Amino acid sequence: WIEMVNEKGLVAIDCETTSINAVDADIVGFSMSLEDSVACYIPISHKNSSGKQISLKKFIQIIRVLLEDPSIKKIGQNIKYDYIILKNLGINLCNVDDTMLMSYVLRTGRRGHGLDDLSIDFLSYETQKYSDVTTKNKKKIPFEEVDITSALNYAAEDADITYRLWDILRIELIKNKLYDFYFYVEKPLIEIIAIMEICGCKIDNEELKKLFLEFSKKIDEIGNKIFDYAGEKFNVGSPKQLGEILFSKLNLPFGKKGKSGNFQTDVKILEKLKSENHIIASFILEWRQFSKLKSTYCSGLLSRESKKTSRIHTSYGMASTLTGRLSSNDPNLQNIPIKTAEGRQIRKAFIAEDGFSIVSVDYSQIELRVLAHIAKIPSLINAFKNDEDIHLVTAMDVFQVSKNNITNDLRRKAKTINFGIIYGISAYGLGLQLEISNSEAKKYIDQYFLKYPGIKDYMKETVISCRENGYVMTPFGRRIFIPFINDKMVSRRNFAERSAINAPIQGGAADMIKIAMPKIFNFMNENNLRSKMLLQVHDELIFETPNDEIEEIVNNIPDIMINSHQKFLKLDVPIKVDVGIGKNWNEAH
């Protein structure tokens, strides 16, 4: 097999392991495919198996040369996962292609990018399911307990299907003039994000335990206020009990039963009640916020610490969002609240090793800058060129107030309008956020469009174009399909229109940071820096930097982020980057 791969210069690979968590997983077997229906499986650490296996040491010794050979292309489905498994074995996988990412570039928003979906869509073939192979006598078993014959049929098929898909997707990308986007924007991130995941983040466990107790106390205090208002104790976390209290006992408005027969108590309902000054709704929203901080972030982060590394390792989804953004999972480190003091407390628990600091490098108002460029709005473009406070400019224009009379509250409202417009906010939605009437919110939105007619034109033209083509494009050429854009159901069509308006803006910002990351990674490697890129949180990159390298990072990384997109596209607005340094993530923000 090694000889055949060397001769062909191309192989599809797939690792079978003990866990979906790549950083903690151990390898069980390895499959390869050379061409359509030619595949093999190499068992390494199956238990209770009578079949012959190769030792892990021997496997590494034989396979390393092939996998580290830059002249041989290695194809995988979500190959980032295999990269991490092999890296932990001391093997540096290089020259890779990823069928999942190829599909993502080709048809974002259209369909899923998992192997099962791709196989059905492009090969009309239904693959064997992992759950079928790992079920014995109706009980789930780990893959290392699967017999070798079953493992062969399942794993070799995966490699074979991956190879066949690669052959088709490569041609489809070229035909659709999207191969360059895949090659220059998405593919270089595979190694970078894999190394970020392997590195992980250091957590201050004592800080999290302290916050756990603080939040528990706060939850009890808010709970008592809710019980006083309700006139009885009940389980605030139970939607059924909460619905009965709010709508049966207290007779509050907006009571609506769902399919289960219980009253709905989601955020929208509670926000409505809050806007009508029903104070119990404010308490419930606050109770939920602290409960989430306690369970998801205090308990959640403590339980996710790796026994191998004593660090937290998120897993980045490279093909899971509509707009091209990365997603963060298990745990989600992109969703830690930043707007509240309590949320910022969680960020305090992300710390640097001794002798290191956390450095945050963040694109400033990047989505508004992309919007100004796409919609060609002279007043916004000039404001950015003059480095003016964009929310202040908007406040002056929308509220028709002189600069000296702009209060913090008016600036806050203008900021909400600026970002709300990007997401296609309605008068009702804006009214909820600003805690004002729908008519007043509509007046602000009308005034905004009056001042910036280019935005209204952009929205209209984008929706028309999307209806005709089925997709929108970012300024950098990412194609995003918008389902339901021509749907007969008004609510689905309206949602699709808002998505179409937002996708080129958010997607353009996502493309920019993706283009910058490989250049930053190369700069750090070329200069033998010990600094590590830990996290990407949408428009922000977090580094763990030795104190003697801070100056070099701060003097170079912002420039790379500001200029890296120039070869792809020259924007009409200047790009600005903010830098923060601290002992923890909160201090650095």
Side-chain angles (χ1 to χ4, degrees):
W1 268 86
I2 298 285
E3 283 173 11
M4 288 193 293
V5 171
N6 279 322
E7 194 178 317
K8 179 140 189 168
L10 183 72
V11 64
I13 63 165
D14 188 34
C15 296
E16 299 304 334
T17 69
T18 56
S19 171
I20 56 168
N21 183 331
V23 173
D24 289 330
D26 295 314
I27 194 164
V28 176
F30 186 80
S31 57
M32 295 191 281
S33 177
L34 273 173
E35 54 189 274
D36 190 338
S37 302
V38 179
C40 71
Y41 180 62
I42 303 155
I44 300 163
S45 55
H46 283 265
K47 293 176 181 173
N48 313 319
S49 181
S50 56
K52 275 189 177 180
Q53 299 195 73
I54 189 168
S55 73
L56 180 58
K57 187 179 175 184
K58 188 81 171 164
F59 168 75
I60 294 169
Q61 186 189 329
I62 294 172
I63 207 80
R64 172 184 268 129
V65 177
L66 180 134
L67 295 182
E68 292 187 347
D69 186 340
S71 69
I72 295 170
K73 184 173 286 295
K74 278 71 68 173
I75 304 157
Q77 165 73 11
N78 186 20
I79 205 165
K80 167 172 69 77
Y81 179 89
D82 305 277
Y83 183 101
I84 294 168
I85 299 298
L86 295 165
K87 184 82 171 172
N88 286 339
L89 297 176
I91 297 169
N92 293 306
L93 191 63
C94 67
N95 186 8
V96 299
D97 258 342
D98 189 337
T99 47
M100 179 185 76
L101 286 184
M102 293 168 96
S103 167
Y104 187 54
V105 170
L106 188 64
R107 53 185 209 158
T108 303
R110 212 182 220 173
R111 279 276 278 162
H113 311 286
L115 197 67
D116 294 345
D117 281 345
L118 293 176
S119 182
I120 287 167
D121 293 351
F122 289 101
L123 303 171
S124 302
Y125 178 82
E126 194 163 333
T127 53
Q128 199 174 352
K129 303 294 178 283
Y130 180 83
S131 57
D132 294 340
V133 185
T134 53
T135 302
K136 192 174 183 181
N137 301 326
K138 296 184 179 177
K139 284 184 180 175
K140 288 287 167 200
I141 58 168
F143 200 84
E144 61 265 37
E145 289 179 23
V146 173
D147 70 86
I148 288 177
T149 305
S150 300
L152 156 69
N153 293 332
Y154 168 77
E157 180 185 81
D158 271 6
D160 172 42
I161 294 296
T162 300
Y163 181 90
R164 288 198 252 169
L165 286 168
W166 174 82
D167 226 8
I168 294 167
L169 290 168
R170 188 170 49 96
I171 293 160
E172 286 298 312
L173 284 169
I174 293 164
K175 273 187 352 197
N176 285 275
K177 299 189 171 127
L178 289 168
Y179 188 82
D180 281 2
F181 189 91
Y182 160 75
F183 189 85
Y184 290 109
V185 180
E186 292 292 354
K187 193 167 103 155
L189 290 169
I190 296 166
E191 179 188 5
I192 295 163
I193 292 168
I195 289 170
M196 284 165 66
E197 289 184 19
I198 291 167
C199 181
C201 301
K202 187 174 171 65
I203 295 290
D204 184 341
N205 286 342
E206 293 311 308
E207 180 70 21
L208 284 176
K209 286 171 187 170
K210 189 184 91 181
L211 287 173
F212 181 91
L213 294 173
E214 281 180 22
F215 293 156
S216 297
K217 190 179 169 189
K218 193 78 181 168
I219 289 164
D220 289 343
E221 286 172 7
I222 300 164
N224 287 330
K225 288 179 184 176
I226 294 168
F227 301 150
D228 287 346
Y229 200 98
E232 65 176 274
K233 284 193 172 185
F234 66 99
N235 180 0
V236 184
S238 161
K240 185 173 189 274
Q241 290 183 37
L242 179 62
E244 290 299 323
I245 292 288
L246 293 179
F247 304 114
S248 293
K249 183 176 181 183
L250 299 177
N251 289 317
L252 298 184
F254 314 122
K256 185 181 168 188
K257 289 191 176 182
K259 287 177 184 174
S260 63
N262 298 326
F263 285 107
Q264 292 178 6
T265 57
D266 56 36
V267 175
K268 276 187 181 177
I269 300 286
L270 293 171
E271 289 283 7
K272 266 187 182 182
L273 290 169
K274 184 183 170 184
S275 70
E276 300 268 331
N277 296 319
H278 294 289
I279 198 162
I280 192 171
S282 300
F283 290 147
I284 294 160
L285 287 165
E286 203 180 351
W287 186 93
R288 283 186 180 176
Q289 182 205 332
F290 279 102
S291 294
K292 184 171 183 183
L293 288 171
K294 178 184 161 182
S295 62
T296 305
Y297 297 111
C298 294
S299 305
L301 291 175
L302 285 166
S303 70
R304 291 300 302 131
E305 185 179 86
S306 167
K307 290 180 178 69
K308 286 184 182 178
T309 66
S310 299
R311 289 169 79 98
I312 298 283
H313 301 268
T314 188
S315 173
Y316 281 103
M318 295 183 70
S320 54
T321 69
L322 181 71
T323 58
R325 275 182 166 185
L326 296 173
S327 67
S328 166
N329 316 287
D330 196 27
N332 182 351
L333 300 183
Q334 294 181 331
N335 228 15
I336 297 171
I338 187 63
K339 289 180 181 175
T340 64
E342 292 78 21
R344 289 193 292 274
Q345 291 281 88
I346 300 287
R347 291 191 172 208
K348 271 190 189 174
F350 287 76
I351 57 174
E353 297 281 0
D354 291 342
F356 286 67
S357 292
I358 299 292
V359 178
S360 161
V361 192
D362 191 2
Y363 278 121
S364 173
Q365 299 171 339
I366 190 66
E367 290 187 1
L368 287 174
R369 291 171 195 266
V370 172
L371 170 65
H373 170 83
I374 293 176
K376 307 288 180 214
I377 304 151
S379 52
L380 275 181
I381 292 168
N382 290 332
F384 281 125
K385 281 181 176 174
N386 297 328
D387 198 21
E388 293 177 42
D389 179 338
I390 204 72
H391 303 312
L392 194 73
V393 171
T394 300
M396 288 162 60
D397 285 341
V398 171
F399 304 123
Q400 297 175 308
V401 177
S402 67
K403 191 174 182 178
N404 297 333
N405 292 323
I406 298 291
T407 61
N408 286 338
D409 185 54
L410 283 179
R411 187 188 177 279
R412 179 186 64 81
K413 285 180 176 176
K415 185 177 180 179
T416 304
I417 295 168
N418 271 329
F419 288 112
I421 294 294
I422 290 173
Y423 289 92
I425 202 165
S426 64
Y428 171 73
L430 184 63
L432 270 183
Q433 286 195 32
L434 296 181
E435 297 180 355
I436 57 175
S437 68
N438 287 1
S439 57
E440 193 178 353
K442 186 179 183 305
K443 191 178 82 176
Y444 289 159
I445 291 172
D446 290 344
Q447 187 63 30
Y448 189 93
F449 286 139
L450 204 62
K451 284 291 175 184
Y452 304 130
I455 296 179
K456 191 85 170 174
D457 294 341
Y458 157 74
M459 289 176 164
K460 192 177 174 184
E461 287 160 15
T462 301
V463 169
I464 290 169
S465 167
C466 187
R467 283 215 183 100
E468 289 171 1
N469 302 312
Y471 63 83
V472 293
M473 288 184 82
T474 69
F476 296 92
R478 180 186 299 278
R479 190 180 291 182
I480 300 166
F481 286 89
I482 307 292
F484 311 120
I485 191 69
N486 291 310
D487 203 272
K488 287 175 183 173
M489 194 186 291
V490 176
S491 59
R492 283 211 294 223
R493 193 172 67 245
N494 286 347
F495 178 78
E497 287 176 4
R498 288 197 296 275
S499 297
I501 290 161
N502 173 247
I505 302 163
Q506 193 181 98
D511 293 343
M512 281 190 69
I513 203 158
K514 283 185 165 183
I515 290 163
M517 285 168 73
K519 291 182 167 55
I520 293 166
F521 186 75
N522 292 340
F523 165 78
M524 293 197 299
N525 279 345
E526 285 160 11
N527 291 279
N528 298 313
L529 299 184
R530 289 180 297 137
S531 294
K532 290 184 170 70
M533 201 188 296
L534 298 187
L535 292 173
Q536 191 251 53
V537 184
H538 306 316
D539 309 325
E540 176 185 19
L541 292 172
I542 308 295
F543 300 85
E544 190 172 13
T545 299
N547 292 331
D548 60 1
E549 287 181 7
I550 287 175
E551 197 175 335
E552 192 157 9
I553 289 290
V554 168
N555 287 344
N556 289 283
I557 302 299
D559 286 344
I560 296 171
M561 287 176 71
I562 286 166
N563 297 311
S564 57
H565 67 281
Q566 297 281 8
K567 285 184 181 176
F568 289 81
L569 175 74
K570 186 152 177 57
L571 294 173
D572 294 337
V573 292
I575 300 303
K576 188 179 174 186
V577 167
D578 297 323
V579 179
I581 304 159
K583 292 190 183 77
N584 59 58
W585 187 4
N586 188 52
E587 275 184 23
H589 199 271

